[in-house]
Amino acid sequence: MGTTPRVVIIGAGIVGANLADELTERGWNQVTVLDQGPLPLTGGSTSHAPGLVFQTNGSKTMTEFAAYTVDKLKGLDVDGDWCFNQVGGLEIATTPERLHDLHRKQGWATSWGVAGEVLDPEECAKLHPLLDQDRVLGGFHTPADGLAKSTRAVVALARRAESRGATFRGSTRVIGIDQHGGRVTGVRTDHGEIPADIVVSCAGFWGRAIGEMVGMKVPLLPLAHQYAHTEPLPELAGRNDARIEARMPILRHQDQDLYFREHNDRLGIGTYAHRPMPVRLSELPEQDSPTDAAMPSMLPFTEDDFAASWEHSRRLLPALRTARVESGFNGIFSFTPDDGPLVGESPDVAGFWIAEAVWVTHSSGVARAVAELLVDGRSRTELHGCDVHRFDEVETTDHHVDETAQRNFVEIYDVKHPLQPKLSPRNVRVSPFHARQRELGAVFLESHGWERPHWYEANAPLVKRLPMEWQPPARDAWSAMHHSPIAAAEAWKTRNAVALYDMTSLKRLEISGPGALSFLDRLTTGKMDKSIGAVTYTLVLDEAGGVRSDLTVARLGEQLFQVGANGNLDFDHFTRRLPDDHSVQVRDITGGTCCIGVWGPLARDLVQPLSHDDFSHEGLKYFRCAQAHIAGIPVLAMRVSYVGELGWEIYTGAEYGQRLWDVLFEAGRELGVVAAGRAAFNSLRLEKGYRAWGSDMTTEHNPYEAGVGFAVRPQKGEFVGRDAITAIDEDAVTRRLSCLTIDDGRSVVLGHEPVFVDGEPAGYVTSAAFSHTLGIPIAYAWLPATAVVGTQVEVQYFGRGVRATVAAEPLVDPDMHRIRR
């Protein structure tokens, strides 16, 4: 066996042990795992984790992680004792809203390939005899879920990794990370230095402190979570033996933020119904020796916080009504600003990686992904929702992390709508148009700290003036949440007059320097060497040909480009690949600039009288840009349109933003101009078949599957992913992102619903909206390539079948006459 990189993993809990196992399985034989606590029970979150593994999640990625954890752990044992007890999972509903949501969750399970069904109360009680059947409206049963014995799994994983050459060292405190020339070189401990080519922090809630050793922000907050054990229950006597521990499915009572599992003849009860309890590392008890029984991750039980949860538990489970709580503790777990794990490499210190805020449920899946990143350079599971660099800088501040993580703790079991607005913090980032938008009654949603208008109450009177064919139908209660028929009026105005859209929150990068052209040419699929003023829609691929991002690149000078990106992941991607000779600079210019989308058939009538520059079709053609002045304000006018109408994205410095808005709005009054929001925008962009990276396509998909193969120019020469993409036969792909029209004309699905072909689950919805132009709901979905135009399919919406038809795209203006006039 050849020499492999020297890897030091910090943290010997379930994530670190899994990672050592995954790396050594791939032939990496120089792996050292360190932990400050004694082996194998090191005192971190793994040591007290209750081990519930519910696979179903609204995120396909998180479900894949959990499914792999189940498959892996159920194949492990320690001297014949199980590491995974597949007792199944049961989530019960005691309110109509929760029961409705369990049908939605069952749809997710079907979309992601997890077996599960919604049961009636009697069936729930048969599965879990301790339930008071009369208090239950139904339940979601997932037979493949179960209990992970995390402490035992760590032993099994460590033994296997050690048999392949890994070394585990407990009671070893990390006191520093050595680096030289921007790369890690080793780990300093209280027992000496360990050389390393790669360091991976799997330190759990200590991850923040480890990250600080290399100056890396790790946006997580340790929070205490209550867990109690009852005294022995007569109803459980003799049901389990010491080796089995549990036979009934793990139970979640999310209406009261509770979960339950058997511990032989006792019940374990976990609750999130108490106040958030943030924990500071400096306040934790330390283990003074390997024999010290105190665990830093297990804080004293606070009975007052548990009182209400105990009463709710006794109501649901009659066996508890004469019982008492025998013991309990407040265990520490990690929470993040969006509840996702944190995976990625330091932007400043090459070779320093993290895999933090990972619960037992997803531990094996995350570890496999990290091992694949290290060994192969690519994870088979799509990771954009896990990448630590998905956050903008403001989202990684201590204030933001502390507040959002605590809010996520409170809301962890809530029924959440896809558009549910964040309560706090708000108004962190506002465009220069914000004051005017508030005057117009904007209803704001939030994204990465930005306030983004969803619709404007000032446009409400227009709803009554809509032509009959534009009148939207009544919606069901779920799709009507965080929505307004005003969106129909704003879409109508965009298609028939002119509307102003605030596009400021979209990430903008400036790429410059003598190597800028070759840099972009190497990293994107499109031809970058076009004339100054050219705008190019292009893709960024990974080495396997997966769609890492899509971009709009404007050439402003010989070596000056403005890039419309999808978020901070693109900024991170570009900055990591800068040449060592400093010939290229990448700047995030989003905050210092702003953008108004001026779109509609009367857009030119609005803009041209305000400028001496030529905004005619010949003067500024489609997918061209030009420096210009509007009412004396210097702007960059880019003739692109993601709503499928004539118009421009008009950029200017933030200091001119409010003036630009005022000038355009005032001049447009006689044309019937309106401000329009994201609800109308999303409907219009789907009518044109424009993809949204992150929801419609990701690295899981190649451009030909995703319907964006037109943006790939293999003939231009070398670029990342070219070899993989040239090996793909565009006509032989087995799945495609397909357009659907909903047959009943009124059912508005929202995304992630399963799609059935010939009665079998075959794909899932990515994006959906009501098409105000056509007067029908529409959606995009991943389907087998055999589902050609005209194929009848069925979308499962909250347990109800909704018939749909695969349609030719785009649905509106396929000849592009409206956008090119």
Side-chain angles (χ1 to χ4, degrees):
M1 183 179 292
T3 300
T4 61
R6 299 167 297 178
V7 180
V8 173
I9 298 170
I10 301 172
I14 191 69
V15 181
N18 258 302
L19 179 56
D21 178 64
E22 295 286 338
L23 288 173
T24 55
E25 182 184 21
R26 288 163 175 75
W28 283 25
N29 57 356
Q30 297 191 85
V31 176
T32 303
V33 185
L34 308 177
D35 204 291
Q36 63 184 345
L39 300 176
L41 206 61
T42 61
S45 298
T46 299
S47 303
H48 63 72
L52 282 67
V53 178
F54 282 89
Q55 297 171 79
T56 306
N57 192 292
S59 161
K60 183 173 184 285
T61 291
M62 299 302 280
T63 301
E64 286 185 9
F65 285 160
Y68 181 68
T69 300
V70 168
D71 288 343
K72 183 174 180 177
L73 297 190
K74 73 181 183 183
L76 295 176
D77 69 271
V78 175
D79 303 328
D81 290 332
W82 59 271
C83 292
F84 190 80
N85 185 356
Q86 204 158 30
V87 293
L90 180 64
E91 302 179 54
I92 54 100
T94 59
T95 63
E97 294 79 12
R98 181 68 62 180
L99 183 59
H100 200 51
D101 193 59
L102 292 183
H103 282 285
R104 179 175 68 134
K105 188 167 286 187
Q106 194 276 330
W108 293 344
T110 302
S111 291
W112 315 143
V114 176
E117 60 178 330
V118 178
L119 307 178
D120 63 29
E122 184 177 357
E123 293 170 307
C124 292
K126 286 180 181 177
L127 284 170
H128 203 291
L130 297 190
L131 278 172
D132 182 348
Q133 179 179 325
D134 293 337
R135 293 186 176 273
V136 177
L137 301 180
F140 174 47
H141 179 226
T142 44
D145 291 343
L147 294 167
K149 191 76 168 179
S150 53
T151 52
R152 192 178 292 154
V154 165
V155 173
L157 292 164
R159 286 181 180 178
R160 193 158 70 181
E162 287 174 325
S163 73
R164 303 183 187 123
T167 300
F168 281 70
R169 292 172 55 175
S171 301
T172 304
R173 187 181 303 277
V174 173
I175 58 176
I177 310 293
D178 290 332
Q179 52 182 291
H180 179 73
R183 289 202 61 89
V184 295
T185 58
V187 176
R188 278 177 284 123
T189 78
D190 55 358
H191 294 300
E193 184 176 340
I194 303 171
D197 304 301
I198 295 170
V199 174
V200 187
S201 176
C202 303
F205 59 82
W206 282 286
R208 215 164 159 173
I210 300 297
E212 287 172 358
M213 294 180 181
V214 296
M216 182 178 180
K217 277 279 190 181
V218 179
L220 65 80
L221 178 70
L223 285 162
H225 159 60
Q226 288 201 305
Y227 195 77
H229 294 84
T230 69
E231 65 182 352
L233 303 176
E235 291 81 358
L236 295 181
R239 283 182 59 92
N240 307 306
D241 59 48
R243 297 189 69 176
I244 295 297
E245 285 192 31
R247 296 184 189 275
M248 289 189 294
I250 49 180
L251 179 67
R252 285 207 286 199
H253 179 22
Q254 292 177 298
D255 287 320
Q256 296 299 337
D257 297 317
L258 286 160
Y259 63 82
F260 308 87
R261 60 152 292 183
E262 293 170 276
H263 291 278
N264 298 315
D265 59 354
R266 294 166 167 80
L267 272 188
I269 306 173
T271 178
Y272 294 95
H274 54 80
R275 62 191 167 90
M277 303 177 190
V279 176
R280 305 302 167 192
L281 299 184
S282 60
E283 300 169 358
L284 295 180
E286 293 189 8
Q287 290 174 301
D288 296 325
S289 71
T291 59
D292 191 343
M295 282 196 189
S297 63
M298 296 175 68
L299 302 181
F301 193 60
T302 49
E303 294 183 9
D304 289 347
D305 291 303
F306 191 69
S309 292
W310 178 238
E311 289 306 311
H312 288 302
S313 299
R314 295 171 72 193
R315 289 175 196 154
L316 183 71
L317 307 174
L320 301 181
R321 290 172 190 170
T322 58
R324 65 182 182 86
V325 174
E326 187 174 78
S327 63
F329 61 92
N330 292 354
I332 305 175
F333 292 87
S334 300
F335 283 75
T336 64
D338 62 1
D339 278 344
L342 305 173
V343 173
E345 186 181 20
S346 162
D348 303 311
V349 182
F352 180 84
W353 290 73
I354 67 167
E356 306 289 21
V358 181
W359 292 11
V360 173
T361 302
H362 310 106
S363 57
S364 298
V366 170
R368 180 180 68 176
V370 174
E372 289 172 342
L373 287 171
L374 294 176
V375 177
D376 306 321
R378 183 182 192 269
S379 163
R380 76 184 71 183
T381 301
E382 200 281 317
L383 296 178
H384 85 273
C386 305
D387 194 311
V388 65
H389 304 294
R390 65 189 181 272
F391 301 110
D392 283 340
E393 182 180 6
V394 69
E395 298 174 277
T396 67
T397 63
D398 290 350
H399 182 273
H400 188 95
V401 172
D402 289 4
E403 183 171 352
T404 53
Q406 290 183 62
R407 172 61 59 182
N408 290 337
F409 180 93
V410 171
E411 297 178 347
I412 191 168
Y413 279 171
D414 287 2
V415 176
K416 291 184 179 178
H417 191 275
L419 295 175
Q420 182 171 316
K422 181 185 291 182
L423 295 176
S424 178
R426 294 298 297 268
N427 295 312
V428 175
R429 306 168 86 179
V430 298
S431 79
F433 324 129
H434 188 253
R436 298 296 184 254
Q437 292 165 344
R438 292 186 65 179
E439 292 168 2
L440 293 170
V443 174
F444 293 97
L445 298 185
E446 180 272 348
S447 177
H448 293 286
W450 284 103
E451 297 294 324
R452 306 200 302 182
H454 212 54
W455 67 83
Y456 293 84
E457 290 293 333
N459 296 326
L462 294 174
V463 176
K464 294 181 180 179
R465 294 166 45 195
L466 285 170
M468 184 59 66
E469 65 271 19
W470 282 83
Q471 289 287 342
R475 292 188 174 210
D476 68 279
W478 183 254
S479 69
M481 289 178 67
H482 311 298
H483 179 78
S484 170
I486 294 172
E490 294 174 1
W492 173 59
K493 279 290 190 177
T494 308
R495 288 279 186 243
N496 293 281
V498 61
L500 306 184
Y501 288 81
D502 181 359
M503 306 300 290
T504 300
S505 64
L506 301 183
K507 180 75 75 174
R508 287 176 294 286
L509 307 177
E510 180 188 271
I511 298 181
S512 62
L517 173 61
S518 59
F519 176 74
L520 277 169
D521 219 32
R522 186 173 67 255
L523 293 179
T524 67
T525 62
K527 181 182 178 183
M528 294 293 107
D529 193 7
K530 297 179 179 178
S531 62
I532 294 172
V535 179
T536 305
Y537 175 79
T538 188
L539 307 176
V540 179
L541 305 181
D542 64 16
E543 293 287 356
V547 181
R548 180 186 286 275
S549 188
D550 64 339
L551 310 171
T552 303
V553 180
R555 191 173 192 182
L556 306 184
E558 287 293 336
Q559 297 288 354
L560 176 64
F561 298 84
Q562 180 172 306
V563 176
N566 281 298
N568 204 60
L569 289 178
D570 292 324
F571 180 62
D572 178 68
H573 181 70
F574 283 132
T575 53
R576 287 178 184 279
R577 285 152 184 81
L578 289 172
D580 294 335
D581 61 5
H582 306 292
S583 61
V584 181
Q585 292 80 47
V586 178
R587 286 200 310 135
D588 182 348
I589 61 172
T590 312
T593 56
C594 58
C595 177
I596 301 176
V598 183
W599 291 312
L602 302 182
R604 188 172 287 120
D605 298 290
L606 170 56
V607 173
Q608 186 62 80
L610 298 173
S611 179
H612 296 298
D613 298 289
D614 189 356
F615 280 84
S616 70
H617 176 65
E618 290 302 320
L620 186 54
K621 292 184 177 180
Y622 186 55
F623 262 75
R624 297 287 299 179
C625 68
Q627 304 287 348
H629 288 83
I630 293 177
I633 301 166
V635 301
L636 171 67
M638 195 177 299
R639 192 163 171 205
V640 294
S641 170
Y642 289 97
V643 299
E645 291 293 334
L646 168 68
W648 306 267
E649 289 181 355
I650 300 178
Y651 299 89
T652 192
E655 71 270 33
Y656 303 123
Q658 184 168 295
R659 171 66 177 163
L660 178 63
W661 179 278
D662 289 345
V663 165
L664 291 170
F665 205 83
E666 183 60 34
R669 287 186 189 277
E670 63 184 37
L671 302 173
V673 72
V674 298
R678 303 293 296 185
F681 178 89
N682 191 54
S683 170
L684 297 168
R685 72 101 181 161
L686 282 175
E687 292 175 353
K688 288 297 295 180
Y690 295 143
R691 277 63 169 148
W693 186 86
S695 54
D696 296 323
M697 58 186 182
T698 67
T699 53
E700 284 189 42
H701 314 110
N702 70 55
Y704 305 121
E705 296 172 324
V708 289
F710 65 87
V712 180
R713 297 285 186 271
Q715 65 272 21
K716 78 166 186 174
E718 290 301 316
F719 58 85
V720 174
R722 182 178 184 271
D723 290 345
I725 217 71
T726 53
I728 297 172
D729 181 352
E730 183 175 359
D731 298 321
V733 296
T734 58
R735 60 179 178 176
R736 292 189 189 278
L737 186 63
S738 303
C739 180
L740 303 179
T741 55
I742 306 300
D743 292 353
D744 68 13
R746 58 180 176 80
S747 296
V748 182
V749 301
L750 296 182
H752 296 179
E753 296 89 355
V755 182
F756 291 72
V757 178
D758 297 328
E760 297 295 325
Y764 59 91
V765 173
T766 59
S767 297
F770 188 86
S771 168
H772 300 290
T773 308
L774 301 178
I776 55 173
I778 60 176
Y780 273 79
W782 281 101
L783 292 176
T786 52
V788 295
V789 171
T791 300
Q792 294 290 305
V793 301
E794 187 172 84
V795 181
Q796 181 183 315
Y797 183 63
F798 288 94
R800 174 173 64 90
V802 175
R803 293 185 64 80
T805 303
V806 178
E809 58 169 336
L811 293 168
V812 172
D813 192 28
D815 296 325
M816 302 288 282
H817 291 315
R818 300 176 68 90
I819 208 168
R820 294 179 184 272
R821 55 180 135 193

